[in-house]
Amino acid sequence: MVADRPPFEDLYRDYLGRIYAYVRAQVGTSADAEDITAQVFMNAYQAYARFEARNQTPAAWLFRIARNATLDHFRAHGRRERLRRTIEHQPAAEEDPAGQAEDRIQYRALLAHVAKLPERQRDAISLRHSGLSFDEVGRLMSCSEDAAKMLYHRALKALKEAVQKEGV
Amino acid sequence: MSEPDGDLELQGLQRELDDAFHTTRPRPAFEDELWLKMQTSRPPARRLGDALAAFFQGIREVPAVPLAAVAAVLVVVIGVGIIAYSGRGHLGGGGASSTAGESAARADQLYAGAFGRLPTPAFNGGAKNATAPQAGAGGAVPEYSGPVQLTWTGKLDLTITSAPVYRYNEPSTSSADQFASALGAVLRERPSGFLGSYSASDYTLKVRGTVQSPPSSPAFFIFSSPSMPAIDAAGAGPQDLANIFLAQHSLTPAWGNTIVVDSSGDPIKVRYQRQFDVAGYGAAPLVDVNGDRYGLEVDLSANRPVLVSGLLPVGLETADYKIVAAGDAVQSVLAASSVGNAATPALTVKLTQAELVYVLVPAGGHSFYEPAYLFSGTFQLNGATLVKRVLVPAVDPSQRTP
């Protein structure tokens, strides 16, 4: 174990909820969020030996894996179709077994609005409110810190308009 | 997180987003399920090594336990000889490797904690009187369930004052699906009473959760199809064949067990009886309400696995609980003697053996494996040798719900 690399158990305990929330905001259903979160931590667990704490924070590393897994998910399933099915025709709560047990999500409508934002805006909002700095958001999204800030504020305004238009 | 912004509405929205992301969390059981899955996902090369290790460890000493009885009653009760197999981290396969054990231990450390007052086990068809004498599974030695006057002539030395209690969250359809997926089986349907029914190329897999009454652990059942090939291993005995099959499917128990082979009929049954390690005591077997040991069973016919059944892997939390002293346990057993009548006078039965065991105690969303004392003794009746078993809770009454 590299001296400055925390035990993976610590990462798991500290970041499981945050990663899940980030993914959940992207995909709209708890079942998909669980699948992707599981994939994120399975990948991270297997790759942890190669993680260099000198180069990036554990948070940035995990969120990069989460972001890639989410993008893979959309590529595999088709974002438009998935959104149509999960948002416009969102199944009743009792039809989603994971959703039945997920009793700690209090902002479903708000997150549903986030999920409907354009991809980069959605990503900026989700990464930023998952606790990452603008510098980290920019690195993950392959842009500068300033560009990340601008993107975030555009996303925030778009979200506000969507919320005002459709309500939360 | 929220930063200054001229637009108060935007600031409010930022605060809502902060709250939304801070309060959105997965269902509680997900954390344990995923951790277990991660711990048991090891590379194929490692699995192959485990398979070979399991094969060479195949010949294990058959314990001098009259286990004959063991799954026979389960076969009768459940119909297909269901033996449960539960466990911390079994999916990764491998013959009880130290890695799996350490992983499970780490998982336990993550979630250790006191569980509050525990439910009291019901050993007799749901009856809460846990001190009532129970008929144990007979097998080779039939059991007697009539009125008995119990005496104790054995010796029960116990130096420990506490023992671990294990708790697991009820498995979900998602966890059942993950288990099946790891085996390479595909979901077909969710029949009533099961979390899922799955198919693979040469077997059907069914997974079910905890059964409340009679208590039965979450379990899986692999029913082989006619295309399931015989296990080709020259000179291998039933135990070797079972080990090979389990290793090939990453189902080798990672928990401590005693292996028993019942070759008295067809199919031959290879049973892996689960044990819990109790510091200062040793291995305590997992038993059902009748006192029969269980864990995992592989039924072989002509070297072909025809049925494999065992406990579904679940993440276990652990917490130590005070247990009753041996003397008090003996007194509670003796106090449970039943009174006969003119038609059926009470027999006097000498209980000569006692051991610490573990029993399943379902409790809804989560269930427990709690320690208990199992007393037993044999006696003669009309020329036949019968056995009497009595289970009493080991957890101190002050730690249990009435």
Side-chain angles (χ1 to χ4, degrees):
Chain A
M1 176 68 67
V2 175
D4 53 357
R5 185 192 300 158
F8 189 82
E9 290 94 323
D10 291 351
L11 259 64
Y12 182 75
R13 191 165 37 206
D14 293 344
Y15 288 98
L16 177 69
R18 287 170 60 182
I19 293 290
Y20 174 86
Y22 164 76
V23 175
R24 179 69 173 80
Q26 309 279 308
V27 299
T29 72
S30 50
D32 284 344
E34 280 195 3
D35 289 346
I36 296 170
T37 303
Q39 191 61 52
V40 169
F41 280 94
M42 293 290 283
N43 292 346
Y45 187 58
Q46 290 168 7
Y48 195 51
R50 299 191 296 276
F51 168 64
E52 293 286 349
R54 284 189 301 267
N55 299 337
Q56 58 185 333
T57 64
W61 181 69
L62 279 173
F63 276 97
R64 182 180 298 280
I65 296 173
R67 185 167 182 267
N68 290 338
T70 306
L71 292 174
D72 286 345
H73 169 80
F74 286 133
R75 286 191 201 104
H77 298 278
R79 169 158 177 77
R80 181 172 299 175
E81 169 61 21
R82 184 152 291 265
L83 277 180
R84 183 190 64 78
R85 184 159 56 83
T86 59
I87 296 175
E88 294 176 10
H89 303 282
Q90 196 159 16
E94 59 272 21
E95 293 173 3
D96 179 3
Q100 290 179 44
E102 182 195 49
D103 55 3
R104 285 185 275 180
I105 180 167
Q106 300 172 1
Y107 294 91
R108 289 177 186 276
L110 181 59
L111 292 184
H113 283 302
V114 172
K116 284 192 274 190
L117 291 172
E119 181 178 303
R120 286 182 66 79
Q121 290 188 3
R122 184 186 71 242
D123 224 6
I125 290 274
S126 300
L127 290 170
R128 176 63 178 153
H129 285 278
S130 292
L132 298 189
S133 67
F134 280 118
D135 178 53
E136 289 173 319
V137 174
R139 288 173 185 268
L140 284 174
M141 300 186 66
S142 302
C143 64
S144 67
E145 181 178 348
D146 288 342
K149 283 182 183 176
M150 289 178 60
L151 182 59
Y152 167 80
H153 284 289
R154 275 203 301 272
L156 200 59
K157 287 175 182 172
L159 180 63
K160 188 190 79 170
E161 289 171 6
V163 168
Q164 287 175 337
K165 183 177 178 185
E166 301 179 33
V168 174
Chain B
M1 166 78 56
S2 299
E3 33 183 49
D5 194 310
D7 189 333
L8 291 178
E9 290 182 7
L10 284 182
Q11 288 183 26
L13 183 57
Q14 284 178 313
R15 283 193 292 273
E16 282 192 40
L17 284 166
D18 281 344
D19 287 344
F21 278 84
H22 287 159
T23 59
T24 297
R25 291 295 181 263
R27 61 194 166 81
F30 177 69
E31 188 172 357
D32 288 6
E33 293 167 7
L34 176 55
W35 180 257
L36 181 66
K37 183 180 177 184
M38 286 163 48
Q39 296 301 311
T40 54
S41 65
R42 285 177 291 165
R46 186 109 186 215
R47 291 188 184 184
L48 177 60
D50 290 338
L52 293 172
F55 175 75
F56 289 114
Q57 287 175 358
I59 310 290
R60 296 188 193 182
E61 183 181 358
V62 176
V65 177
L67 49 131
V70 182
V73 165
L74 293 178
V75 171
V76 172
V77 172
I78 304 177
V80 289
I82 291 171
I83 293 285
Y85 154 51
S86 113
R88 295 183 275 176
H90 94 293
L91 269 181
S97 72
S98 59
T99 300
E102 290 162 5
S103 299
R106 285 201 302 272
D108 284 345
Q109 287 168 9
L110 271 180
Y111 310 113
F115 305 143
R117 286 162 72 92
L118 300 172
T120 296
F123 294 129
N124 189 12
K128 275 287 183 182
N129 179 5
T131 57
Q134 303 302 310
V141 183
E143 287 200 44
Y144 180 73
S145 58
V148 289
Q149 185 67 41
L150 299 170
T151 64
W152 169 246
T153 61
K155 189 176 181 183
L156 178 59
D157 289 330
L158 215 60
T159 57
I160 59 174
T161 56
S162 66
V165 168
Y166 297 91
R167 182 174 71 176
Y168 66 87
N169 288 316
E170 184 60 24
S172 64
T173 53
S174 174
S175 56
D177 291 351
Q178 289 174 7
F179 172 78
S181 177
L183 288 176
V186 177
L187 177 66
R188 291 302 177 205
E189 58 178 332
R190 299 201 191 277
S192 176
F194 289 88
L195 294 172
S197 177
Y198 311 82
S199 64
S201 59
D202 50 13
Y203 63 83
T204 297
L205 167 71
K206 288 191 175 182
V207 178
R208 69 153 165 70
T210 306
V211 176
Q212 299 292 312
S213 182
S216 191
S217 300
F220 71 88
F221 311 97
I222 292 176
F223 305 90
S224 69
S225 65
S227 63
M228 171 78 80
I231 300 171
D232 185 15
Q239 186 174 318
D240 302 320
L241 298 176
N243 284 342
I244 292 171
F245 177 86
L246 295 176
Q248 287 175 337
H249 293 78
S250 298
L251 288 170
T252 303
W255 28 262
N257 61 82
T258 297
I259 302 179
V260 175
V261 179
D262 177 5
S263 304
S264 61
D266 185 11
I268 296 172
K269 298 175 184 299
V270 182
R271 299 180 178 118
Y272 301 73
Q273 298 169 343
R274 177 161 195 179
Q275 299 170 334
F276 291 91
D277 287 329
V278 179
Y281 176 80
L286 174 63
V287 304
D288 65 14
V289 290
N290 295 318
D292 294 326
R293 301 175 182 213
Y294 65 102
L296 179 150
E297 178 175 313
V298 179
D299 294 353
L300 298 161
S301 182
N303 291 356
R304 261 185 80 245
V306 293
L307 171 66
V308 180
S309 52
L311 288 177
L312 188 69
V314 292
L316 294 180
E317 306 169 64
T318 181
D320 279 347
Y321 275 81
K322 180 184 176 186
I323 61 174
V324 298
D328 293 337
V330 171
Q331 289 306 313
S332 67
V333 169
L334 299 182
S337 295
S338 51
V339 179
N341 54 40
T344 312
L347 293 172
T348 298
V349 174
K350 289 182 181 176
L351 299 173
T352 57
Q353 295 180 327
E355 62 180 331
L356 192 66
V357 297
Y358 273 80
V359 294
L360 169 69
V361 187
H366 52 257
S367 298
F368 300 88
Y369 289 112
E370 297 182 16
Y373 291 108
L374 175 62
F375 293 82
S376 63
T378 57
F379 61 100
Q380 298 286 317
L381 180 64
N382 299 328
T385 299
L386 303 178
V387 65
K388 186 68 184 176
R389 291 176 178 168
V390 184
L391 275 165
V392 296
V395 174
D396 191 272
S398 67
Q399 305 292 302
R400 292 189 270 115
T401 53

